[in-house]
Amino acid sequence: MSALAAEHGALNLAQGFPNLPPPEGLVEAAVRALRAGVHQYAPMAGRPDLREWVCKHHSERHGYAYSPEHECTIGAGASSLLFAAIQAFIHPGDTVVVQAPAYDLYGPAVKLAGGQVAEVPLLDSDGQWDLSSLLQACTPQVKMVVLNTPHNPTGTVCPPGFMDALAAHLSGTDTLVLSDEVYGPIVHDARPEVSLAGCPGLRERGLAFGSFGKLLQATGWKIGWAVGPAALTAELRKVHQYDVFSTGAPLQAALADFLPTPEGQEHLSGLAGMYQSKRDRLLAGLQGTAWRHVPAEGGFFQVLDASGIIDGDDGHWARQWTRTHGIATIPLSAFYAPPSPMLRLCFAKDDATIDAAVDRLRHIAADHAH
Ligand code: PMP
């Protein structure tokens, strides 16, 4: 969709990247790191000071202190570590339970490792996280469950108690849990931030993943982390050692330098509010149109339901509107969901882009009403 958007000069609300600049202090820290001569390999597990920050971040937010030395790994974005974890633990014939629709990495990574994906619906017919379908799929033979909260693409967040119920169900099994928390602190309307790190029964059998790119409007830096018990971290690092090994030394230095500063702390504490106001700007602009929605609960994606506007295949209309109305979105069917008139929009955009998107979406609704 990004290529099609570029070809037609369309607004690109498809791919999940902010068009907002990173904090100025972070950019300055990167320049300082380059000038200070940080050009050689960082340690395989990541810079110790950056791992310390990650572990402190988890203990402050979720009340559990991972060990920077043995329980935290820095990689080339959360995706490299999710991929490494799946390669480390999944063997031919293993089953991995994934809630669908899902971020597009998990399925191919599982298949490459020789495993198979068992999809369960993320949401029940009331739009709530579907615990009973998940528990039903989690037989003792299941090797791994992948969770993602705040969720891409639906914008929902894991409800309180959900992880505890899963933990109770998995008790006595060897099932592992990967929790993709790259949008972790971005929760809206004062919802609690839910993490595997805060759930003792899952923490002992799982890894949680985070992304500096998502937190700092710097997705192109591709630096992320994984935290989890030493035994699981040791296995993860065996794969990480030979695929990525070491990533972005000057950028790691910049992150470790910037994040503990008052500007860094202020940035993180303002993050959820900033994205919530962008979500609200988008949804206020669409009021009174045939676009339907449930406001995103977290992250920076909003799903719009076009069933009041069109029938049928969301992929067709997403491509068509990129050409005819100059706005690119992602059809929800790209994330394993069956074709439905649902589109995902990234609202991590400056206000002018959001306003232009609203204008184009209003035109689509008006044009289809005729
Ligand atoms: N998980 C989810 C749910 C994502 O949306 C993304 C980025 N689109 C990633 C992982 C990858 O994060 P990173 O850029 O840090 O590799």
Side-chain angles (χ1 to χ4, degrees):
M1 293 309 298
S2 285
L4 195 65
E7 189 186 328
H8 292 275
L11 287 179
N12 186 359
L13 274 69
Q15 209 178 345
F17 64 87
N19 76 345
L20 313 161
E24 191 51 39
L26 178 65
V27 176
E28 281 162 14
V31 172
R32 269 200 308 279
L34 289 167
R35 294 243 179 266
V38 185
H39 300 298
Q40 310 311 329
Y41 295 127
M44 180 270 277
R47 275 179 73 103
D49 51 1
L50 189 56
R51 282 185 275 144
E52 256 162 49
W53 183 87
V54 169
C55 294
K56 192 158 166 278
H57 174 77
H58 282 271
S59 70
E60 284 170 3
R61 301 180 101 88
H62 305 298
Y64 182 74
Y66 288 103
S67 145
E69 199 182 340
H70 302 295
E71 299 186 318
C72 178
T73 308
I74 305 293
S79 30
S80 81
L81 294 163
L82 281 156
F83 193 83
I86 290 169
Q87 302 314 307
F89 297 114
I90 297 307
H91 301 295
D94 286 344
T95 298
V96 179
V97 172
V98 173
Q99 294 171 294
Y103 177 54
D104 55 7
L105 176 145
Y106 318 136
V110 168
K111 286 178 197 153
L112 189 66
Q116 61 201 29
V117 172
E119 271 181 33
V120 295
L122 172 76
L123 302 176
D124 62 21
S125 51
D126 296 327
Q128 305 301 311
W129 274 43
D130 185 345
L131 180 65
S132 62
S133 294
L134 181 65
L135 298 191
Q136 213 177 338
C138 288
T139 59
Q141 291 72 41
V142 163
K143 185 66 186 276
M144 177 184 281
V145 181
V146 181
L147 300 176
N148 170 215
T149 182
H151 185 259
N152 176 12
T154 65
T156 56
V157 301
C158 182
F162 191 96
M163 286 195 182
D164 296 323
L166 178 62
H169 180 82
L170 296 180
S171 171
T173 71
D174 292 327
T175 307
L176 302 169
V177 178
L178 303 188
S179 186
D180 180 346
E181 301 173 4
V182 297
Y183 304 99
I186 310 174
V187 280
H188 308 314
D189 309 311
R191 283 188 172 74
E193 195 181 314
V194 172
S195 170
L196 170 139
C199 174
L202 291 193
R203 187 166 66 220
E204 67 193 25
R205 61 174 70 245
L207 294 153
F209 298 81
S211 169
F212 294 105
K214 304 287 183 190
L215 302 187
L216 293 154
Q217 292 111 247
T219 56
W221 284 30
K222 287 297 290 182
I223 315 259
W225 72 78
V227 286
L232 300 184
T233 294
E235 295 306 307
L236 167 73
R237 287 182 184 174
K238 287 178 190 169
V239 177
H240 172 69
Q241 162 104 38
Y242 294 113
D243 65 355
V244 167
F245 171 57
S246 159
T247 185
L251 303 180
Q252 287 195 41
L255 291 163
D257 181 359
F258 172 73
L259 283 163
T261 64
E263 189 194 349
Q265 286 170 312
E266 223 169 273
H267 173 82
L268 272 194
S269 55
L271 198 62
M274 188 265 285
Y275 282 123
Q276 184 180 319
S277 73
K278 296 204 172 287
R279 177 203 68 176
D280 291 346
R281 190 177 187 99
L282 172 70
L283 296 182
L286 295 178
Q287 246 184 0
T289 70
W291 291 104
R292 297 185 196 133
H293 63 261
V294 176
E297 297 171 347
F300 49 57
F301 298 111
Q302 175 66 49
V303 172
L304 294 182
D305 176 349
S307 57
I309 299 175
I310 45 134
D311 283 328
D313 180 1
D314 53 358
H316 165 75
W317 287 107
R319 285 189 293 277
Q320 178 82 350
W321 289 331
T322 305
R323 296 186 198 101
T324 57
H325 287 74
I327 179 163
T329 59
I330 301 252
L332 222 60
S333 54
F335 301 87
Y336 316 168
S340 62
M342 302 285 224
L343 301 175
R344 188 200 77 174
L345 278 73
C346 172
F347 56 77
K349 303 295 172 191
D350 56 38
D351 289 349
T353 304
I354 293 181
D355 293 346
V358 163
D359 198 48
R360 292 174 195 198
L361 290 164
R362 293 187 75 95
H363 271 107
I364 290 173
D367 290 351
H368 283 260
H370 297 139

